Amino acid sequence: MSILVRSVSRFANTVPKRSLVVSSTMRADQQMMDPLEHATGLEKYELLAKQAGNMDPFFLRAVSRSKGTKDSPTIVHAMDNYRMVGCVCNEEDTNIKWTWLCEGVPKRCECGYWMELKSHPAPEKYQLPL
């Protein structure tokens, strides 16, 4: 072997090695807190709503289009009296057509579907669960 290889191998053996040993059996009797006990405010409001069966308490999930006629428009829920809505007019489209909806005013998208906003009361800031 060359002198360079011997010196590198000696140097590698003299460098102290750090080791970290963590045993999970030592902490097996302890458990993480329930997220509901730890959460406050909007997070707790959301967890309580999901526990009650409402999986979308803030209306953030995408809405599938219904009939979409002027007589029975697609209902979009919001916690205010206005909301920006995106419509993918064709499934193969790669762009979204955005429009503002206001409560009580049905609006027609470029593709011909009608949408209407339904407003719901937002949770009171000072009445949120602690």
Side-chain angles (χ1 to χ4, degrees), residues 80-100:
D80 212 337
N81 56 359
Y82 60 93
R83 184 172 189 167
M84 182 176 267
V85 179
C87 181
V88 180
C89 298
N90 298 316
E91 288 185 22
E92 60 273 353
D93 279 354
T94 56
N95 60 345
I96 300 172
K97 293 170 180 76
W98 297 97
T99 185
W100 282 98

Side-chain angles (χ1 to χ4, degrees), residues 50-117:
K50 285 183 179 182
Q51 200 174 46
N54 183 2
M55 298 314 271
D56 191 19
F58 299 114
F59 310 112
L60 297 176
R61 295 187 186 217
V63 177
S64 58
R65 291 193 290 199
S66 62
K67 223 174 183 180
T69 62
K70 189 170 186 176
D71 297 329
S72 65
T74 301
I75 302 296
V76 177
H77 301 280
M79 289 190 167
D80 212 337
N81 56 359
Y82 60 93
R83 184 172 189 167
M84 182 176 267
V85 179
C87 181
V88 180
C89 298
N90 298 316
E91 288 185 22
E92 60 273 353
D93 279 354
T94 56
N95 60 345
I96 300 172
K97 293 170 180 76
W98 297 97
T99 185
W100 282 98
L101 288 180
C102 295
E103 188 178 20
V105 182
K107 196 160 190 184
R108 183 175 179 256
C109 179
E110 294 175 12
C111 61
Y113 278 93
W114 285 83
M115 297 172 270
E116 187 173 7
L117 188 76

